Amino acid sequence: MKKNETHSTTTASQNLALVIYVVAFLAIVAFIGLKLNRMSSAIPQGAGPVNDPSAIAESVRKQSVLSATSGICSQIQVLLSTFIVLAVPRKGYFIALILNILNAGFVIMNVVMRGMISSIPGTIIPISTVILITIIHIFSNRVTQKTEELTNSYEQLMNTNRIIKEKDEKLSYLAYYDILTGLPNRHLFIEKIDQTILNNSDMQFTVILADIDNFKNINNIYGNSTGDTLLATYAEKLKAFCEDSVFLGRIGGNEYAFIIQGNLTEVNILNYIDKIKNIISEPVKIGNDVISTTASYGIASYPNNALSSSDMLKCVNSAVSYAKANGKNRLCFYDQH
């Protein structure tokens, strides 16, 4: 909308400039014509008192003044013509071209019809102006063309940069986030553990790994699409449950992991896992099917059980494996098996 308004304003300004130019040019032509008439009438002809030396001298002086005035006006025409060609490239050029050609014709007519030989040099100015504005017009078009090419190249470059940036952002997202659930993936989860240890090695935290039980059977019975929907549903519910102090990620096909800051007691951890159990055990309706499942949990803490991200994941995986091997739908602390 603003672009259209700007274009309309520019067009109106250019049209106004053209009108002013035409009026000024014609006024100058009329003024020069009037001066030429006076100059013609001031030329002494025949014999008699008119041939008095003082009268002739006065006539010559008037002719000089009128010639100088006409020259100044002609230079103003050149300036106006040059300006309008630059200000209004296409229309301005053609209008200036026509007016200067007519002006040259007007001067030639004065020379032929009135025998004003002294006006012959006056034809040089409009003719020179025609040549000048034509040169300006040609080079202005070339500059405009080059500017448009540069603008197009710049826009293409910006578009290419935008595409590259979007692809980089997409690749960065794919590198750190799970496509199905939008949760941080295993890579980002590990970085989060490393970052937590690096920033404050004295800070205690707990990692909980929740592994959905018998998830392979769900895929076999209901199909992979239903299994994906179930995982995405759990992810949404767990995200809504987790507080800002809890970092949630999907680090495996059917594994969700939590980083909980602070020195948690065993009771705190059990209460937290009970809430996660309630979320996962809640039946989920997908299409015509209602699916209920459970999960096994492994718990390890820093720095009691591990001092690095790799050791931490080994600990929680070991604890989950023990929980599954002992009946599933249960939890296991790493240091209790």
Side-chain angles (χ1 to χ4, degrees):
M1 185 67 178
K2 291 184 178 179
K3 187 176 180 180
N4 292 334
E5 291 177 356
T6 302
H7 178 72
S8 300
T9 303
T10 302
T11 302
S13 299
Q14 290 179 342
N15 291 335
L16 178 61
L18 288 172
V19 171
I20 294 174
Y21 166 71
V22 172
V23 172
F25 191 96
L26 294 177
I28 292 172
V29 170
F31 176 78
I32 293 175
L34 179 62
K35 292 298 182 182
L36 287 175
N37 288 332
R38 291 182 179 179
M39 186 185 298
S40 177
S41 62
I43 296 176
Q45 298 176 3
V50 180
N51 291 324
D52 181 68
S54 60
I56 293 174
E58 179 65 18
S59 176
V60 171
R61 186 187 66 79
K62 290 182 178 180
Q63 289 184 49
S64 298
V65 173
L66 293 173
S67 296
T69 304
S70 298
I72 293 172
C73 292
S74 297
Q75 293 302 321
I76 293 174
Q77 286 178 319
V78 174
L79 292 175
L80 288 174
S81 298
T82 303
F83 170 76
I84 202 66
V85 170
L86 293 173
V88 190
R90 184 175 177 80
K91 291 181 180 179
Y93 167 69
F94 287 110
I95 291 176
L97 182 67
I98 293 171
L99 290 179
N100 278 281
I101 290 175
L102 293 175
N103 189 28
F106 170 74
V107 176
I108 292 172
M109 182 182 68
N110 276 311
V111 172
V112 174
M113 296 182 64
R114 300 183 180 182
M116 299 179 65
I117 306 300
S118 60
S119 297
I120 292 178
T123 60
I124 296 176
I125 292 179
I127 292 174
S128 299
T129 303
V130 168
I131 296 173
L132 175 63
I133 63 176
T134 300
I135 293 173
I136 293 174
H137 179 67
I138 292 173
F139 279 94
S140 178
N141 283 342
R142 290 182 181 179
V143 171
T144 301
Q145 183 179 0
K146 292 296 181 181
T147 302
E148 289 177 353
E149 291 175 358
L150 289 174
T151 301
N152 291 334
S153 298
Y154 176 76
E155 290 177 352
Q156 290 176 1
L157 179 62
M158 293 300 293
N159 187 50
T160 301
N161 288 338
R162 180 184 59 79
I163 293 173
I164 292 174
K165 183 178 179 181
E166 289 177 354
K167 288 184 177 180
D168 286 344
E169 290 175 352
K170 185 175 181 180
L171 289 174
S172 178
Y173 181 84
L174 293 176
Y176 289 100
Y177 290 88
D178 175 57
I179 299 176
L180 176 63
T181 63
L183 293 176
N185 61 14
R186 185 182 187 88
H187 183 67
L188 183 55
F189 192 84
I190 291 173
E191 282 195 5
K192 180 64 176 178
I193 295 177
D194 291 333
Q195 183 183 11
T196 302
I197 294 173
L198 182 63
N199 290 342
N200 192 348
S201 59
D202 296 330
M203 179 182 292
Q204 296 181 341
F205 63 88
T206 300
V207 174
I208 299 174
L209 177 62
D211 190 318
I212 307 298
D213 295 326
N214 304 314
F215 189 75
K216 185 177 180 181
N217 293 337
I218 294 174
N219 281 335
N220 292 335
I221 296 172
Y222 301 102
N224 291 334
S225 177
T226 298
D228 289 344
T229 302
L230 183 65
L231 291 173
T233 302
Y234 286 151
E236 289 299 321
K237 291 183 177 182
L238 291 172
K239 277 193 291 186
F241 161 70
C242 289
E243 300 173 352
D244 293 338
S245 61
V246 179
F247 188 84
L248 169 65
R250 183 192 177 201
I251 65 172
N254 54 303
E255 295 177 336
Y256 299 96
F258 308 78
I259 301 175
I260 307 174
Q261 305 287 346
N263 184 18
L264 300 179
T265 65
E266 183 174 327
V267 174
N268 295 143
I269 295 172
L270 292 175
N271 289 335
Y272 197 86
I273 292 178
D274 281 340
K275 295 177 182 178
I276 297 174
K277 279 184 176 182
N278 292 334
I279 293 173
I280 293 178
S281 63
E282 184 178 355
V284 177
K285 184 175 182 180
I286 304 175
N288 295 325
D289 300 314
V290 178
I291 303 173
S292 298
T293 187
T294 59
S296 299
Y297 304 88
I299 304 102
S301 62
Y302 172 90
N304 297 333
N305 303 132
L307 298 176
S308 66
S309 58
S310 58
D311 289 342
M312 183 67 73
L313 290 181
K314 287 179 183 178
C315 290
V316 291
N317 277 310
S318 176
V320 164
S321 296
Y322 185 84
K324 284 185 175 292
N326 287 272
K328 302 179 182 179
N329 189 24
R330 57 183 296 172
L331 61 88
C332 178
F333 288 88
Y334 173 74
D335 52 6
Q336 293 180 2
H337 77 281

